[in-house]
Amino acid sequence: MTTTTELIPVAGGGHIWAERAGDGPPLVLLHGSVHDSRLWNRVFAALPPHHTVVRYDARGHGRSTLPTAPFLYEDDLLAVLDRFGFQAAELVGLSMGGEVALDFTLQHPERVRSLTLIAASVGGHEWPRSAAMDAYVAALRGSDACRIAEAELTLWAGLGDRAPGFDLIEPMVRENAELRAVAEKGHALDPEEDAVGRLDRIEAPTTVVVGDHDHPEIGVIARRLADGIPGARLEVVAHADHYLPLRAPGRLLELLLGSDVFGADPLR
């Protein structure tokens, strides 16, 4: 597989690291918080025969630069689409990436062909209080990389270190926790309106995906998205937690491309 990488300038200075491969309808992969584009390592190579696929590190993650001024993740996604000349693309986002894809669709509906929202968060959803979530939020607001990483893995990697993909999950989380710990605080802005009250405005074909071992509230959000977005379908994936693309890549590829493309072995 031939790939090319780009450093895409973004507003306020700095750049976004992006990787492109394949030929066909554009598809863009968006990772979650304390992650980077390695989240897609086990599905990326299977997509280029069917799509022009792009994955990128969000600002302040992976190989992209840290923020130095207020910014919107949605503006960075627009910069990625424009750089590659994509008039419209299929968006596949996990967790924070799903929230960004959803907000972007509300802002720029003409630029989105379809949505796949994996273990997605959504602006305006009120999470119930819990000791585990309070500890996670407190860790994210601090500057202790070890504490951030441990909180992330404890809360979201429910299947543990013996399930598939942990060899990729742990270093990705620990390296991005280091970046988060040194980043200046408060530069990622929220959209002007919460998406949760505007789900009925989404016209793009939407698939909502959630793992059966994810945090229970992610399941609540998944059902809320599936019920609120017109025509959306909900898929529950077995043997997957919040890191679904690394835990169950074969099933995710079936959902993205259709089982008829791969037959019995989606990863062959």
Side-chain angles (χ1 to χ4, degrees):
M1 178 182 66
T2 301
T3 68
T4 59
T5 59
E6 297 264 356
L7 297 179
I8 302 172
V10 287
H15 64 259
I16 293 293
W17 181 94
E19 182 178 27
R20 172 179 176 163
D23 186 29
L27 184 151
V28 179
L29 302 166
L30 298 92
H31 63 76
S33 178
V34 204
H35 309 161
D36 58 38
S37 57
R38 284 174 287 180
L39 180 75
W40 308 106
N41 274 10
R42 297 190 67 193
V43 299
F44 184 76
L47 294 170
H50 313 280
H51 289 277
T52 300
V53 59
V54 169
R55 60 175 172 175
Y56 69 95
D57 294 337
R59 199 182 311 206
H61 299 71
R63 286 157 284 192
S64 295
T65 54
L66 296 173
T68 58
F71 76 100
L72 286 168
Y73 287 116
E74 294 76 25
D75 291 344
D76 288 353
L77 173 55
L78 181 61
V80 170
L81 296 185
D82 288 346
R83 177 61 171 256
F84 290 112
F86 298 160
Q87 293 303 309
E90 300 178 32
L91 301 182
V92 180
L94 179 137
S95 195
M96 178 189 78
E99 183 172 352
V100 171
L102 188 57
D103 289 333
F104 182 87
T105 302
L106 289 166
Q107 296 171 21
H108 306 282
E110 74 286 354
R111 304 297 298 267
V112 181
R113 291 181 175 176
S114 70
L115 278 174
T116 302
L117 305 173
I118 307 168
S121 50
V122 59
H125 180 81
E126 294 188 11
W127 281 67
R129 292 289 301 274
S130 71
M133 186 56 66
D134 287 350
Y136 177 68
V137 172
L140 292 179
R141 290 175 178 169
S143 56
D144 185 332
C146 184
R147 185 181 174 202
I148 293 170
E150 291 304 323
E152 172 76 17
L153 294 170
T154 298
L155 192 63
W156 301 114
L159 288 175
D161 59 1
R162 296 188 179 183
F166 195 78
D167 59 323
L168 293 169
I169 293 168
E170 184 176 35
M172 177 180 67
V173 166
R174 293 197 182 281
E175 289 166 25
N176 282 285
E178 293 280 356
L179 291 173
R180 187 165 188 124
V182 302
E184 295 182 51
K185 305 297 190 295
H187 285 302
L189 302 174
D190 292 326
E192 293 183 359
E193 295 183 74
D194 288 331
V196 75
R198 300 183 291 152
L199 298 178
D200 60 349
R201 302 182 192 179
I202 299 292
E203 297 181 355
T206 301
T207 301
V208 180
V209 184
V210 65
D212 64 348
H213 282 72
D214 207 330
H215 189 288
E217 197 64 18
I218 292 294
V220 171
I221 293 172
R223 289 188 291 275
R224 189 171 188 179
L225 292 172
D227 290 342
I229 298 173
R233 65 188 178 108
L234 175 63
E235 296 283 350
V236 179
V237 175
H239 313 300
D241 54 25
H242 204 61
Y243 293 91
L244 190 147
L246 293 171
R247 300 300 204 183
R251 179 57 183 144
L252 179 57
L253 284 168
E254 288 179 351
L255 294 174
L256 292 176
L257 300 175
S259 58
D260 55 320
V261 172
F262 292 103
D265 185 1
L267 289 177
R268 75 170 186 265

